[in-house]
Amino acid sequence: MMGVFEELKERGLIAQMTHEEPIKDLLDNQKITFYIGFDPTADSLHVGHFLQMVVMAHMQKAGHRPIVLLGGGTGMVGDPTGKTDMRKMMTQETVDYHVSCFKKQMERFIDFSDGKALMVNNGDWLLDLNYVDFLRNVGVHFSVNRMLTAECFKTRLVKGLSFLEFNYMLMQSYDFLKLYEEYNCVMELGGDDQWSNILGGIELIRRAKGKDAYGMTFTLLTTSDGRKMGKTEGGAVWLDPEKTSPYDFYQYWRNVDDADVIRCLKMLTFVPLDQIKPMEQWSGSQLNQAKEILAFEVTKMIHGEEEAQKAQDAARALFGAGASVDDMPSTQLEESDFTDGAIGIIDLLTRTGLVSSRGEARRLIDQGGISVDDQKASSVSDTIPVSQFEKGYVIVKKGKKVFHKAVK
């Protein structure tokens, strides 16, 4: 049997680690407690978070105990990592609401029964900290010169790094120390962009406790040409079905590039590696089978098998011979959507949610990317008359693969 360390490596999930041999021994021969932090920057988890939960699930299946750390405290500051501008500051009420949304989604994916995993909120210890005590007990262990060389700050030094954000590394490091003290948590995991912050926590534990702790980062989810995955023209791919429907979620993975499907299968699913290996030789139409497996498996994990099956059936019906519109994503239009017996093409696109803005609608129309009932929209001033809805609906097509039924 392959140990979890080798499994993570073979799937291409590990990016960096602090002590390879001790970590391999810990993961394959011992049972440890580890944590991953999630700052509540929105009211739903997204695809980037999903990769972190997959790693967490691999670890849990191997007998290790995950701690999901929700950033009720760090979310009040905002991680500067990878950002060229300061994050928008959120109110305590907004942060708390986002934390509650994250919690519901996490519980569908990670097994928290019988203490197999823990969920804690760093707001419980960060929000009531005495600032002077924090400086004396934690700040004393950090070198400003060394912090300024950290990758997470480099992109901000040109435009300006606020003192608020400069404290983020200390807060995240303190989280690790706190979890080490209270739960014997000896390892922090995170995306590769968190490497500097993870090292800060390990160093704090070494200085404050004289003990070893460990860190490991996993590969960021990017396409073969280096673009960040989980983004569409309409924005992020969310795990909340109200923000990204199970059908649209399925279609996102069904439509990944040929060059990315095998890598995604390895990183995002639990399909055994010996089943994926033969697919590496597939090409052309065979890769569509791999994409179907990827889309079904990922959708099943997030939305359940029933929703995954419905999405797959709808996609097959839509793109197969004798395509049916019965299961196509649809929007019910109201009388108020029509003016003088017609609806404008831009209004139709925004009403159906196929675009995130009127500007995006204009751009797609100008590029020839929009059709209604197989007739390409030629102008942003096009209108669709009520008479065109005599069959009860029109079919709006965005690009080559996105279809939507507008019902009257």
Side-chain angles (χ1 to χ4, degrees):
M1 285 286 291
M2 183 184 293
V4 67
F5 180 83
E6 197 62 32
E7 176 97 5
L8 295 174
K9 284 194 77 171
E10 287 292 312
R11 288 183 178 272
L13 286 163
I14 298 177
Q16 299 184 78
M17 66 194 92
T18 53
H19 313 77
E20 181 165 350
E21 287 306 315
I23 286 175
K24 184 179 188 303
D25 178 63
L26 284 172
L27 298 193
D28 287 346
N29 302 313
Q30 302 182 47
K31 305 301 179 190
I32 65 165
T33 298
F34 68 96
Y35 94 93
I36 301 179
F38 298 83
D39 272 350
T41 53
D43 59 359
S44 171
L45 297 163
H46 53 64
V47 164
H49 296 124
F50 176 59
L51 177 65
Q52 300 180 54
M53 291 192 292
V54 169
V55 175
M56 190 175 289
H58 276 294
M59 294 278 285
Q60 187 177 52
K61 288 175 184 290
H64 303 295
R65 183 174 67 158
I67 296 178
V68 172
L69 181 66
L70 298 176
T74 44
M76 296 292 291
V77 172
D79 185 359
T81 303
K83 298 294 179 184
T84 55
D85 294 298
M86 183 173 165
R87 291 178 186 268
K88 181 180 178 182
M89 292 183 67
M90 297 181 291
T91 65
Q92 183 69 60
E93 292 74 21
T94 298
V95 170
D96 289 345
Y97 174 67
H98 291 175
V99 165
S100 70
C101 294
F102 277 29
K103 187 174 181 180
K104 290 176 185 175
Q105 292 177 331
M106 294 279 189
E107 288 171 340
R108 295 203 305 267
F109 195 79
I110 302 298
D111 183 4
F112 290 93
S113 66
D114 303 320
K116 293 174 187 171
L118 303 175
M119 186 178 294
V120 297
N121 185 337
N122 64 18
D124 293 343
W125 56 80
L126 289 177
L127 294 180
D128 294 326
L129 274 176
N130 179 296
Y131 186 59
V132 173
D133 287 345
F134 181 72
L135 289 178
R136 288 174 61 87
N137 296 328
V138 176
V140 67
H141 296 300
F142 285 81
S143 160
V144 171
N145 289 354
R146 186 172 178 181
M147 288 175 69
L148 288 174
T149 65
E151 200 65 38
C152 61
F153 293 139
K154 281 184 179 179
T155 56
R156 295 300 308 280
L157 290 177
V158 176
K159 297 189 69 172
L161 176 72
S162 70
F163 184 69
L164 173 75
E165 297 168 292
F166 191 59
N167 280 268
Y168 189 90
M169 181 184 286
L170 275 68
M171 296 170 72
Q172 183 169 330
S173 300
Y174 183 62
D175 285 344
F176 197 175
L177 176 62
K178 193 77 173 176
L179 296 176
Y180 177 88
E181 291 174 336
E182 295 196 10
Y183 303 104
N184 193 31
C185 176
V186 297
M187 182 179 292
E188 180 180 357
L189 276 65
D192 202 35
D193 55 353
Q194 291 299 308
W195 182 244
S196 298
N197 288 330
I198 291 172
L199 292 179
I202 291 170
E203 181 67 8
L204 177 60
I205 291 171
R206 187 186 69 79
R207 288 174 173 270
K209 296 293 180 180
K211 300 290 186 179
D212 290 330
Y214 306 92
M216 186 165 70
T217 62
F218 32 81
T219 311
L220 297 179
L221 191 60
T222 58
T223 62
S224 56
D225 58 3
R227 291 178 290 112
K228 197 170 185 178
M229 292 192 80
K231 297 285 186 182
T232 68
E233 290 175 346
V237 178
W238 302 99
L239 307 193
D240 183 345
E242 298 299 318
K243 297 171 79 72
T244 301
S245 72
Y247 176 84
D248 288 337
F249 188 83
Y250 176 96
Q251 282 297 101
Y252 177 82
W253 300 109
R254 175 61 181 80
N255 294 331
V256 297
D257 289 342
D258 289 357
D260 299 320
V261 60
I262 300 302
R263 183 166 175 265
C264 286
L265 270 170
K266 289 180 178 179
M267 293 178 69
L268 295 174
T269 78
F270 295 99
V271 175
L273 287 167
D274 58 1
Q275 291 183 28
I276 297 174
K277 189 168 183 60
M279 300 181 197
E280 295 176 2
Q281 308 304 318
W282 291 3
S283 61
S285 60
Q286 270 189 312
L287 279 176
N288 289 331
Q289 298 177 42
K291 291 179 185 181
E292 276 203 343
I293 295 170
L294 169 66
F296 184 85
E297 291 295 324
V298 176
T299 306
K300 180 176 71 173
M301 283 190 280
I302 297 301
H303 298 296
E305 188 163 2
E306 182 180 351
E307 289 295 335
Q309 192 62 59
K310 284 166 61 178
Q312 186 172 79
D313 291 345
R316 285 176 173 175
L318 185 58
F319 295 107
S324 167
V325 299
D326 292 343
D327 293 318
M328 191 182 297
S330 63
T331 298
Q332 179 69 53
L333 301 179
E334 308 294 339
E335 289 297 331
S336 57
D337 293 318
F338 293 82
T339 302
D340 297 328
I343 182 171
I345 184 64
I346 290 180
D347 292 330
L348 181 62
L349 291 172
T350 55
R351 182 73 172 80
T352 55
L354 286 170
V355 295
S356 59
S357 67
R358 298 177 73 84
E360 183 189 353
R362 293 187 185 93
R363 178 175 58 79
L364 287 170
I365 293 166
D366 289 341
Q367 292 174 348
I370 299 296
S371 299
V372 179
D373 286 344
D374 289 328
Q375 295 295 313
K376 187 166 289 188
S378 58
S379 168
V380 295
S381 60
D382 283 358
T383 59
I384 297 87
V386 170
S387 59
Q388 195 166 332
F389 288 82
E390 60 181 358
K391 60 183 178 294
Y393 60 84
V394 297
I395 302 299
V396 186
K397 182 179 178 184
K398 182 176 81 169
K400 295 180 179 179
K401 297 179 179 179
V402 178
F403 294 79
H404 198 95
K405 180 169 63 173
V407 181
K408 172 71 168 67

